[in-house]
Amino acid sequence: MGHNYAKPLTSQVRLERVLSRLPEDWSLRIERDAGQGWRVWMQPPAHDGQWSEPHDILADAMEEVWRAVR
């Protein structure tokens, strides 16, 4: 009997996935103030940029703003 279990995505794999899909003409900022969560800002050309909410995991912030602006 064969098993086809999906391998859970690590934060690193999730982060690499978003960065690999990010077009070169988009602006990107990643910030984390001391004691605060990660925040990511993305801006596609000819559109307003948007900040993510603060997240403890950088990949969560990247995925949030990526979904919002694309």
Side-chain angles (χ1 to χ4, degrees), residues 23-35:
E24 289 183 20
D25 59 349
W26 284 34
S27 297
L28 171 70
R29 280 190 210 147
I30 300 172
E31 293 184 358
R32 183 180 68 178
D33 292 328

Side-chain angles (χ1 to χ4, degrees), residues 9-22 58-59 62-63:
L9 295 177
T10 65
S11 293
Q12 180 179 349
V13 171
R14 292 171 41 223
L15 184 59
E16 289 173 5
R17 183 178 61 190
V18 173
L19 289 173
S20 70
R21 295 176 179 174
L22 192 64
L58 178 56
M62 289 284 276
E63 288 178 340

